[in-house]
Amino acid sequence: MDKPSDLVKTASRSEWESSVTGAKRRDHSLDALRTVAILLMMASHTTRLIEKDARRWWSDLAMLIEPLTASLFLLLVGAALARSWMAHGSAGRGDWLKRTMRRAAGLFALSSLFFALEHGFYLPDALLSSGILVTIAFALILISLPVSSNHPQISLWITAMSGTALYLYLDVTRREIFMLTSGNSPWLPLLIFTVLGALGVLHSRKNPDKAARVILIAGFFLVAGSLWMHSFEALFSKPLGRYGYVREMPAGFWGPAKNVAYYNLRPALMPMIIGLCCLLYAGLHALRRFHSRIAGQAFAMGRKSLQVYVLHLLILALWVVSLGVRPFDSSWQGDVVLIGLVVLCQGWAIFRESRSRRIIKSEF
């Protein structure tokens, strides 16, 4: 009869072998896409610390495509949710939802902290409007329910169509609702992008290569159709791409009354963003044949994207606290900081990846 220690050791080995098999099945194109998204976010955050007259071409590009960057993040959140449910859902829907809610609670706490440090503790803004982190938190809460339902694809399609109809109605009637359509990383259309990311994974799980070809064709027609109806400049200009929304915040616990400018994504930008994301994914899908070790090193930031996101914000916050709100008055300073961020975050991600592997191996 096997000893309890032998059973534990066998179980640990089985888990490790399962994790290795899972690593081989990783979609490296999604890891690459996450890496692209986090690099774009680093560039846009660094740009905000550079004087406008001193910004280089990469700063102008990062700000021009910022709607694409935020949307790409939420598409990937949806994809990660779907992959997580497919991998761990058999352990029980309740346990999986609890883990997801705990992650959302941690993101709420982090986003509130970042908002309070920048603006002060204004309610409800401190809980609702601190960028991508809080939008991801809401996405984890809301989208995890249809993803883990008995019929996830049907539930997600109903959610996507309902959300799109509501979004179009609010835009046609010119209604601006704080954090729903107007705010720092508004829920619409970003939650719709999350649903589409989850659907993409669910529909492509049986034949990823065929799905990549379909995604490529869909991306081409979406981009071509958007450019045919609107010019690229018109799509990404403020009147059509993003427009200002100023919110009056009453005197808060940590500061006096103030106005904060927010932005919105217009519906006309949605097909263009979805099309660009499709083309980007289809192009990166060619990297799926990379050796897993090479891909793991090259796209480590993508695999640890949430940790890297928080890390790079903390590093930039130290610059702001020590040197002022806009410390960079020359282009080379912004270049050095961005390069330094990339090197530090890539090193951190590789370290975390290697440490995770050592912990798994040491279990048996």
Side-chain angles (χ1 to χ4, degrees):
M1 182 174 181
D2 292 331
K3 298 178 180 179
S5 58
D6 293 334
L7 293 175
V8 171
K9 188 176 291 186
T10 302
S12 298
R13 179 178 292 277
S14 177
E15 288 177 5
W16 181 79
E17 288 174 350
S18 176
S19 70
V20 171
T21 304
K24 290 180 179 178
R25 290 198 303 265
R26 285 193 67 90
D27 190 338
H28 295 310
S29 48
L30 282 178
D31 290 339
L33 209 54
R34 292 188 188 95
T35 303
V36 170
I38 197 68
L39 288 173
L40 290 175
M41 191 64 74
M42 284 184 189
S44 61
H45 285 163
T46 303
T47 293
R48 286 183 166 83
L49 301 180
I50 306 173
E51 295 287 352
K52 289 185 177 180
D53 294 339
R55 293 176 180 175
R56 291 191 192 273
W57 64 269
W58 60 264
S59 292
D60 295 332
L61 177 63
M63 299 307 293
L64 175 67
I65 65 173
E66 194 173 24
L68 170 65
T69 305
S71 305
L72 180 56
F73 254 93
L74 271 298
L75 277 163
L76 291 169
V77 168
L81 265 179
R83 289 177 66 86
S84 174
W85 170 247
M86 289 190 297
H88 304 292
S90 58
R93 184 171 187 255
D95 291 339
W96 183 80
L97 286 174
K98 286 178 183 177
R99 289 198 299 270
T100 303
M101 297 307 151
R102 284 197 295 268
R103 291 182 62 196
L107 291 175
F108 269 120
L110 278 173
S111 65
S112 297
L113 174 63
F114 283 128
F115 185 92
L117 290 174
E118 183 177 359
H119 298 291
F121 197 76
Y122 294 87
L123 291 175
D125 301 65
L127 301 177
L128 300 178
S129 60
S130 33
I132 287 292
L133 289 178
V134 74
T135 310
I136 293 176
F138 276 107
L140 291 177
I141 293 172
L142 298 176
I143 310 305
S144 62
L145 299 175
V147 164
S148 59
S149 66
N150 292 330
H151 303 284
Q153 295 184 20
I154 295 175
S155 300
L156 287 168
W157 274 117
I158 292 174
T159 304
M161 291 186 290
S162 301
T164 302
L166 174 62
Y167 184 46
L168 292 172
Y169 169 75
L170 292 174
D171 185 75
V172 169
T173 57
R174 297 187 178 276
R175 297 187 183 185
E176 295 178 353
I177 301 175
F178 175 59
M179 276 313 297
L180 184 60
T181 57
S182 297
N184 188 1
S185 191
W187 303 346
L188 291 176
L190 294 180
L191 292 184
I192 300 173
F193 290 138
T194 308
V195 174
L196 295 177
L199 280 170
V201 166
L202 292 175
H203 283 300
S204 64
R205 57 184 171 177
K206 292 183 179 179
N207 193 333
D209 292 335
K210 181 180 178 181
R213 291 192 292 270
V214 173
I215 288 172
L216 174 65
I217 295 171
F220 173 80
F221 280 104
L222 284 170
V223 171
S226 298
L227 292 176
W228 179 67
M229 295 182 66
H230 316 277
S231 67
F232 185 86
E233 182 180 358
L235 279 170
F236 284 89
S237 64
K238 284 188 176 180
L240 193 58
R242 296 177 296 171
Y243 57 84
Y245 170 77
V246 178
R247 175 172 167 77
E248 264 186 61
M249 293 194 298
F253 187 67
W254 287 359
K258 64 187 296 186
N259 292 334
V260 176
Y262 293 124
Y263 67 86
N264 191 1
L265 301 179
R266 297 296 301 281
L269 195 61
M270 287 183 64
M272 184 67 165
I273 286 179
I274 296 171
L276 288 174
C277 290
C278 287
L279 293 178
L280 190 57
Y281 173 83
L284 292 172
H285 189 70
L287 299 174
R288 69 193 184 281
R289 299 188 184 280
F290 267 27
H291 189 279
S292 60
R293 187 181 296 266
I294 297 175
Q297 297 291 321
F299 310 134
M301 277 200 293
R303 297 183 67 172
K304 302 293 181 183
S305 57
L306 192 55
Q307 295 180 26
V308 169
Y309 184 90
V310 174
L311 177 62
H312 95 275
L313 280 182
L314 289 175
I315 294 173
L316 289 178
L318 290 175
W319 277 98
V320 171
V321 170
S322 60
L323 299 177
V325 176
R326 188 70 64 78
F328 310 133
D329 55 5
S330 61
S331 58
W332 69 266
Q333 290 175 316
D335 297 342
V336 169
V337 169
L338 181 59
I339 293 171
L341 276 178
V342 173
V343 172
L344 286 173
C345 290
Q346 176 73 356
W348 167 263
I350 292 174
F351 166 74
R352 292 293 296 172
E353 281 284 288
S354 60
R355 191 167 184 270
S356 298
R357 292 194 188 96
R358 287 199 301 269
I359 291 173
I360 292 173
K361 290 180 180 179
S362 68
E363 288 182 354
F364 64 94

